[in-house]
Every structure is written in C-alpha cells, then in structure tokens.
C-alpha cells in the first residue's frame, strides 16, 4: 500500500514560475512524490494516461476541465488543489459526482484585490481622478476643491463575499461609514464587520464611493446600469474589481458621458479587454486597468503557498481549510 501521495502539476507555462517558484516546487516534492514534470493542459490531453496513480492534481491558470473523460484516467485522484480563484470553469457534474474535494486559492487572491480596492476607495474619497483630469483640462488647480475626504464619508460595498468582507475589514481602520448591500448577509454578520446593511438603491444614492464585489449570476448580470448609476451623488466614484458583466456597458457609458463629475474605475470589463473602439477607452472619467487588482507577479506565489499548506494538511489527514462547498460552487464568483 502506498503511503506517500503522488502529485502532478498541470497549468499554463506562462505564469507557472510565478505561482509555483522553484523553491516551492522543491517543498512540494518533500511532501509528496512527483508523478513527473509539470504539464500544460494541452500536454495532458495528448497523454492523459499520466494521471494513472496520481492522488493529487495541482493546478492554477490554464487548469484542465475535470470532465468524465479526464477523470476516467485518474481512478486514484483524491484531491484537486487549484492556485487560482474561481473553480467554476473547470468543474463539471461528473467531477462533483466523484465527491473529490477541490481547493481554491481565492482567499490568497483576495488579498491583493482588497488592497487595490482600498487604494482606489481612498483615492475616490479625495476625488483624485476627477480633480486630476479637471486640472489637466483647465490647466490650473481649483481654488478650493470640494471632496468628501476620509472622515465621516460613506463607502458602499455591493456584495459581501470574501473580497467584500476583507475590504470592510480594512475600512474599519478609517473614520468612514461603511454600508453594504448583500441579500446573503445577515444583520449579525454585518455588525461584526462594522457596517450597516441597506438596499441597493440607497447604497448607490448615498455613498461617496461604491465598490462592486458581487458574483456574476443571472440575477446580477447587467444590474449596474442607468437606474442605479444615475442615482450616484455628485462626484461619486464607482469601482469594479469583481466581474465586468455586472455593469450594463451601454447604459453605463450613457450615464458617464452625461455626468463628467462621476468617475468609474474599471479593473474588469465585458468583454475583457474591451473592443478597440469601445468608449471605455475614450471617456475621460473612466479609469481602465487590465485586471491589475488580482494577484500579479510575486503576489501569485501566495496562492502556491496556500496549495502547499493544503497539501500538507491532506498528508496529515487534517481537514482542508479552503475546500469549495459543492452546494455553494454555483454562486461563487
């Protein structure tokens, strides 16, 4: 009987060294036995027999789809550990039927997203983007800029998933009032986070900065459109680090085009990147960043370290901390 787990790493080559640097691969090799060298999804598809005898599949960006065909070559598979956020694109009904635990490193990826969001919230409260573009357009500084600032202002969080809650925790260090809209969060949880639950319309109408953190679901797709955006108060900032599909692009462009006082900081769009002729590139009050909020460069190793920690727990027979609940998998971002 084998006493050492056998592991195989399958992910895209481009970001592999960031997520699993050589030192981390060496540590994994001390915990489990490598089945062979790392593979890409394409290489695995060409030789799926390599999965025979694999106990733990490690992955990240470019993970293989866990369908019946692939699983048929992996009869010994005991766990899948993904150094990435959402596992929705790679899981299938056949996978969930096997009752194999799958770990997501969303908690590690949430750290830089929350940091980016916090930075943009603080900039939004000072209305840095608005004043900067107005100074450039008029070639002079305003005599007495009117900004909400970081004392007594209101910040709204649309969605209180993992990232939204982490942002709320960061904001507790500042003298701002935090409101949130999330039908899945109860009053006790909100109180523990130091915030107040309100309806979506009140959130958009009364906050100086609104940050989107909801998952993209049928009921949230395109929800942030003219009805909500037209309610934003003078000089407000909208931040989206969640999913581009939450925003109705056509309606948002119409509102932003008619409200130069507003600022939209969009780290995600739909499609991503936007079409070359999209007004997102030309509207002066839109700040576009190419998915910078998520883990970049050295930050990605944090996700690989989470996978290593979970692998150690698996070897010791301890419960996994970041296993995805199958009942909630369809509602996660």
């Amino acid at each position: 009987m084998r006493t050492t787990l056998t592991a195989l790493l399958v992910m895209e080559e481009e970001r592999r060294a960031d997520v699993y640097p050589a030192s981390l691969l060496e540590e994994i090799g001390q915990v489990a036995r490598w089945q062979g060298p790392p593979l890409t999804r394409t290489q695995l598809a060409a030789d799926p027999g390599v999965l025979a005898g694999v106990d733990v599949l490690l992955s990240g960006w470019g993970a293989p789809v866990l369908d019946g065909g692939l699983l048929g070559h992996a009869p010994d598979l005991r766990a899948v550990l993904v150094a990435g956020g959402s596992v929705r694109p790679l899981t299938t009904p056949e996978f969930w039927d096997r009752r194999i635990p799958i770990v997501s490193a969303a908690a590690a990826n949430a750290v830089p997203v929350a940091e980016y969001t916090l930075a943009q919230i603080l900039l939004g409260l000072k209305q840095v983007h608005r004043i900067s573009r107005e100074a450039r357009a008029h070639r002079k500084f305003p005599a007495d800029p009117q900004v909400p600032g970081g004392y007594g202002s209101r910040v709204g969080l649309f969605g209180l998933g993992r990232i939204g809650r982490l942002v709320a925790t960061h904001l507790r260090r500042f003298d701002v009032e935090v409101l949130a809209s999330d039908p899945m969060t109860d009053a006790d949880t909100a109180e523990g986070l130091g915030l107040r639950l309100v309806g979506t319309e009140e959130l958009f109408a009364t906050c100086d900065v609104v940050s989107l953190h909801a998952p993209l679901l049928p009921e949230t797709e395109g929800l942030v459109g003219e009805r909500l955006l037209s309610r934003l108060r003078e000089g407000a900032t909208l931040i989206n680090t969640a999913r581009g599909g939450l925003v109705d692009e056509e309606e948002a462009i119409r509102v932003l085009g008619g409200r130069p006082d507003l600022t939209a900081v969009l780290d995600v769009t739909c499609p991503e990147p936007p079409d070359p002729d999209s007004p997102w590139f030309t509207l002066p009050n839109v700040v576009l960043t190419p998915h910078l909020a998520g883990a970049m460069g050295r930050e990605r190793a944090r996700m690989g370290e989470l996978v290593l920690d979970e692998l150690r727990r698996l070897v010791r027979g301890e419960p996994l901390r970041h296993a995805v609940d199958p009942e909630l998998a369809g509602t996660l971002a």
Side-chain angles (χ1 to χ4, degrees):
M1 180 178 178
R2 289 186 294 130
T3 58
T4 302
L5 295 180
T6 299
L8 179 67
L9 172 59
V10 181
M11 69 171 292
E12 69 175 43
E13 195 169 4
E14 181 181 357
R15 286 179 274 197
R16 185 192 296 155
D18 286 343
V19 179
Y20 296 99
S23 58
L24 188 59
L25 290 178
E26 184 177 349
E27 287 189 73
I28 292 173
Q30 295 171 1
V31 177
R33 183 181 71 84
W34 285 114
Q35 173 78 327
L39 301 175
T40 64
R41 181 167 53 194
T42 301
Q43 290 169 331
L44 177 63
D47 183 20
V50 73
L51 288 168
V54 170
D55 300 295
V56 186
L57 179 64
L58 310 182
S59 194
W61 279 274
V65 176
L66 303 168
D67 57 18
L70 181 143
L71 294 171
H73 293 280
D76 299 314
L77 191 61
R78 293 175 50 185
V80 179
L81 312 181
V82 184
S86 175
V87 299
R88 288 171 67 184
L90 59 144
T91 52
T92 64
E94 295 93 340
F95 172 77
W96 294 118
D97 287 345
R98 284 274 300 268
R99 300 185 181 278
I100 299 170
I102 183 168
V103 162
S104 162
N109 189 55
V111 174
V113 178
E115 292 170 346
Y116 175 100
T117 302
L118 175 63
Q120 293 294 351
I121 287 173
L122 297 178
L123 291 174
L125 291 175
K126 284 289 190 178
Q127 296 193 5
V128 168
H129 297 303
R130 177 183 68 82
I131 292 175
S132 175
R133 65 177 176 267
E134 290 178 356
R136 186 178 298 109
H138 300 300
R139 296 182 179 272
K140 65 178 183 179
F141 289 168
D144 183 21
Q146 299 300 305
V147 301
Y151 182 80
S153 302
R154 277 186 172 179
V155 176
L157 304 178
F158 181 62
L160 282 174
R162 189 189 307 274
I163 296 171
R165 295 185 185 201
L166 187 52
V167 172
T169 301
H170 288 331
L171 287 171
R172 297 186 71 171
R173 299 177 298 173
F174 299 90
D175 293 319
V176 297
E177 181 183 5
V178 183
L179 308 184
S181 179
D182 188 323
M184 304 301 293
T185 301
D186 57 39
D188 289 341
T189 300
E191 183 178 359
L193 291 168
L195 53 83
R196 180 165 62 90
L197 293 174
V198 298
T200 302
E201 293 192 4
E202 181 179 350
L203 187 85
F204 277 77
T206 65
C207 291
D208 301 293
V209 177
V210 175
S211 186
L212 308 184
H213 300 288
L216 183 59
L217 303 170
E219 55 267 34
T220 61
E221 185 173 4
L223 183 62
V224 181
E226 187 168 7
R227 181 179 64 87
L228 294 176
L229 296 177
S230 62
R231 292 176 174 271
L232 288 171
R233 60 196 312 177
E234 183 78 15
T237 298
L238 175 77
I239 302 168
N240 189 8
T241 58
R243 290 289 185 265
L246 295 174
V247 177
D248 185 307
E249 179 175 344
E250 183 178 343
E251 294 185 9
I253 287 170
R254 185 162 58 246
V255 172
L256 291 165
R259 291 278 307 272
D261 60 291
L262 300 178
T263 298
V265 179
L266 306 179
D267 191 55
V268 290
T269 57
C270 184
E272 191 174 300
D275 294 330
D277 59 351
S278 170
W280 285 146
F281 286 115
T282 55
L283 278 171
N285 53 344
V286 172
V287 178
L288 278 181
T289 55
H291 225 121
L292 289 179
M296 304 290 289
R298 288 193 298 271
E299 293 173 329
R300 293 170 180 156
R302 186 186 276 122
M303 293 189 285
E305 290 167 359
L306 182 148
V307 163
L308 172 58
D309 183 66
E310 292 286 75
L311 179 61
R312 286 172 171 153
R313 297 180 69 83
L314 190 67
V315 169
R316 294 193 297 260
E318 299 173 0
L320 298 171
R321 289 176 175 166
H322 301 281
V324 177
D325 184 344
E327 299 297 322
L328 301 178
T331 65
L332 299 177

